[in-house]
């Protein structure tokens, strides 16, 4: 029996590795949330507000201030509420011509030991396709989701702008 040449050995190895790599590549990436503990998010909430809108309005905004008491940033990746069929993380930016516009973003970060203020003039939450008109003074529950899968429930009061 002869010793295989390096080329034959490489071809044999490729015959084993390439089909396995192709199988893994054809499967969609996992969308499961990363494993998290039952440790709550290290966030405190102040001034949580949903903007009151007239009957028939299809959307509104929510504002609040989040303080991160932890030592690592908290990356928020989503928001949901029974008040709206769709909710988004938004940022407000001014362009070179001074025009202001809003853009949906995939994440907002509360820096470690820092604060994220969600307001009418900056980052905020948009509540789209409202299920009903919120009443001034009522409390609306918002659920913020962090990148690691943990959530924070926020009670926001409906207030006139």
């Amino acid at each position: 029996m002869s010793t295989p040449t390096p080329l034959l050995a490489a071809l044999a190895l490729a015959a084993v590795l390439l089909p396995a790599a192709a199988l893994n590549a054809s499967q969609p990436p996992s969308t499961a949330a990363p494993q998290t503990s039952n440790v709550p998010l290290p966030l405190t909430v102040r001034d949580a507000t949903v903007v009151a809108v007239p009957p028939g309005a299809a959307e509104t905004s929510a504002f609040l201030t989040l303080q991160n008491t932890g030592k690592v940033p908290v990356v928020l990746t989503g928001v949901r509420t029974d008040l709206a069929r769709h909710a988004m993380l938004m940022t407000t930016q001014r362009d070179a011509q001074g025009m202001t516009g809003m853009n949906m973003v995939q994440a907002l970060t509360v820096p470690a030991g820092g604060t994220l203020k969600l307001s009418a003039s900056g980052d905020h939450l948009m509540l789209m396709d409202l299920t009903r008109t919120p009443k001034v003074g009522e409390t609306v529950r918002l659920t913020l989701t962090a990148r690691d899968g943990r959530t924070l429930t926020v009670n926001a009061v409906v207030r006139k702008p």
Side-chain angles (χ1 to χ4, degrees):
M1 189 165 183
S2 66
T3 305
T5 66
L7 177 59
L8 288 177
L11 288 173
L13 185 59
V16 172
L17 294 179
L18 288 177
L23 178 63
N24 286 337
S26 68
Q27 295 177 1
S30 173
T31 57
Q35 293 294 331
T36 59
S37 65
N38 290 329
V39 176
L41 287 169
L43 300 176
T44 58
V45 180
R46 290 190 321 268
D47 305 320
T49 301
V50 169
V51 177
V53 293
E59 60 190 52
T60 189
S61 301
F63 311 129
L64 56 128
T65 300
L66 295 165
Q67 175 70 42
N68 184 347
T69 59
K71 296 183 183 204
V72 296
V74 173
V75 179
L76 301 174
T77 57
V79 58
R80 68 182 186 277
T81 178
D82 289 341
L83 179 62
R85 289 181 185 87
H86 184 64
M88 300 180 293
L89 306 174
M90 301 291 287
T91 189
T92 302
Q93 298 174 330
R94 188 176 302 264
D95 67 16
Q97 291 76 35
M99 299 295 292
T100 301
M102 295 186 302
N103 294 308
M104 185 179 95
V105 293
Q106 297 300 312
L108 294 172
T109 301
V110 188
T115 300
L116 173 64
K117 183 174 176 84
L118 303 178
S119 69
S121 61
D123 298 336
H124 60 282
L125 308 175
M126 284 299 298
L127 311 180
M128 310 289 292
D129 196 11
L130 297 177
T131 57
R132 60 181 177 76
T133 302
K135 295 178 182 163
V136 173
E138 85 170 277
T139 299
V140 173
R141 183 171 290 187
L142 307 169
T143 302
L144 302 174
T145 304
R147 179 170 286 154
D148 65 7
R150 292 184 288 170
T151 60
L152 175 68
T153 299
V154 175
N155 291 316
V157 178
V158 179
R159 294 188 174 102
K160 290 183 180 180

